Amino acid sequence: MSPQSPPVGLLLINLGSPSSPTTRDVRRYLRELLMDRRVLDIPAWRRFLLVHLLIAPLRSRRSTQNYEKIWTDRGSPLITHGLDLRDRIQELVGGGVAVELAMRHGDPSIPAALDRLRARGCDRLVVFPLYAQSSSASTGSSVEAVLAELCRHPTVVPVQVVPPFYAHPAYLEARARLARPVLERVRPDLVLFSFHGLPVRQLRGAAHDLRCLQQADCCSREGARRHCYRAQCLASAALLAERLGLTGEQYSVSFQSRLGRTPWIEPYTDRVLAREAERGRRRAVVISGFVADCLETLEEIAIRGREIWCRHGGESLDLVPAPNADHAWAEAVVEIAHEPLLGKSWREPA
């Protein structure tokens, strides 16, 4: 690419955060998030009533208290880590690529980020959903929103979407680099890989198979990783455990952040922590599936999860930091993002 060529736009997308830890902003964020038909996949009229009359009014105050626990002088950790990652990637790629960050819900918004990329003269766009494992509620919603916004303009630039990178070697090594010193220091008797949960109906909908989760080995079947979020999570955990030298007896996989009474993917993180502590485990290390520390890692795991662990007999629970804006992770993002542009692909382990 010559210096005169228009830059390629690289749009990093994460799910989002309230603008401030106030009840008003948290309520606004919850309404936007949960009114997303891919997040809360129920009929529109039920979703409207449930969100506006029940969930947002009742959960906003408690959620505000939780956000207050993790808020920093710079703001939301999810957003500040994302902005730092954006800046670090921009330093790595130089002027040939214009890097922007957007949140699917909240600010910085997708329309504003795309406007900034247009202002910088981008004639191609690479969309990088910052979710290692793909689901309709995260990747699907983010990509849909980007495409819808692009289609509002007379000229639609060529777009490429980075596929799920749950098994990409660069991603796995960036995570292993952060986990190794914690494991060496703590020497845990439990390593727990905790991923964000999904309702079972969403998992089955993505698999187009009502038999999904009916057999213990369904996620290990040939082709399961192509569309199955749970299969991708299990693959990430197994591949990262292998890099860290963990045996099957040394680690477990669980899912967190469930909402409502509908069945979600099991086992649940809070219940696994309670059960394993009661069985005599004393030192736990949790490796989350999030690429940026946020409410789900800093409050749900590092605060509430530690309280559950200790209440049931555990002694210590340590959280491995998410990649955030770590240099190795920034380099991994550049490597993963450039592969679609260069026509290359990495071979996923069987």
Side-chain angles (χ1 to χ4, degrees), residues 264-326:
W264 282 53
I265 309 173
E266 296 187 37
Y268 302 141
T269 294
D270 54 350
R271 295 182 183 177
V272 170
L273 289 174
R275 182 188 69 217
E276 294 302 316
E278 289 174 351
R279 288 179 175 177
R281 308 259 195 169
R282 291 294 173 261
R283 299 178 306 280
V285 166
V286 179
I287 302 175
S288 80
F290 298 86
V291 299
D293 279 317
C294 53
L295 186 73
E296 287 80 3
T297 65
L298 300 174
E299 194 279 329
E300 188 174 352
I301 296 296
I303 297 178
R304 275 189 286 155
R306 183 178 289 120
E307 291 173 352
I308 292 170
W309 178 254
C310 294
R311 186 165 64 246
H312 290 270
E315 294 176 359
S316 68
L317 184 146
D318 289 76
L319 174 69
V320 173
N324 294 322
D326 182 74

Side-chain angles (χ1 to χ4, degrees), residues 64-113:
T64 299
Q65 293 171 347
N66 292 336
Y67 276 108
E68 287 175 343
K69 297 175 186 177
I70 67 162
W71 215 258
T72 71
D73 293 340
R74 294 181 60 197
S76 164
L78 180 72
I79 295 176
T80 58
H81 289 313
L83 293 172
D84 290 344
L85 177 66
R86 177 203 64 186
D87 294 344
R88 178 155 283 181
I89 292 171
Q90 188 67 78
E91 292 174 0
L92 291 172
V93 298
V97 179
V99 188
E100 289 291 346
L101 172 74
M103 297 290 147
R104 172 61 184 93
H105 303 287
D107 293 315
S109 69
I110 288 174

Side-chain angles (χ1 to χ4, degrees), residues 2 124 157 225 257 324:
S2 68
R124 285 184 294 165
V157 300
R225 297 182 191 177
S257 309
N324 294 322

Side-chain angles (χ1 to χ4, degrees), residues 164-177 180 236 239-240 243 328-329 331-333 335-336 339 345-349:
F165 49 89
Y166 61 92
H168 196 291
Y171 164 71
L172 294 171
E173 187 52 38
R175 300 219 69 139
R177 178 178 176 271
R180 289 187 185 108
S236 280
L239 292 168
L240 185 51
R243 284 179 178 261
W329 169 227
E331 290 182 329
V333 170
E335 179 179 340
I336 297 168
E339 287 171 355
S345 63
W346 53 279
R347 184 178 180 184
E348 180 186 339

Side-chain angles (χ1 to χ4, degrees), residues 213-287:
L213 299 181
Q214 296 300 305
Q215 295 180 339
D217 64 344
C218 69
C219 287
S220 61
R221 293 177 181 174
E222 184 177 357
R225 297 182 191 177
R226 184 175 303 172
H227 301 296
C228 180
Y229 172 80
R230 182 174 182 270
Q232 293 176 5
C233 291
L234 295 177
S236 280
L239 292 168
L240 185 51
E242 182 180 0
R243 284 179 178 261
L244 296 172
L246 301 173
T247 66
E249 292 75 27
Q250 292 176 303
Y251 78 91
S252 296
V253 178
S254 62
F255 299 88
Q256 62 183 91
S257 309
R258 64 189 184 276
L259 174 67
R261 299 179 180 179
T262 185
W264 282 53
I265 309 173
E266 296 187 37
Y268 302 141
T269 294
D270 54 350
R271 295 182 183 177
V272 170
L273 289 174
R275 182 188 69 217
E276 294 302 316
E278 289 174 351
R279 288 179 175 177
R281 308 259 195 169
R282 291 294 173 261
R283 299 178 306 280
V285 166
V286 179
I287 302 175

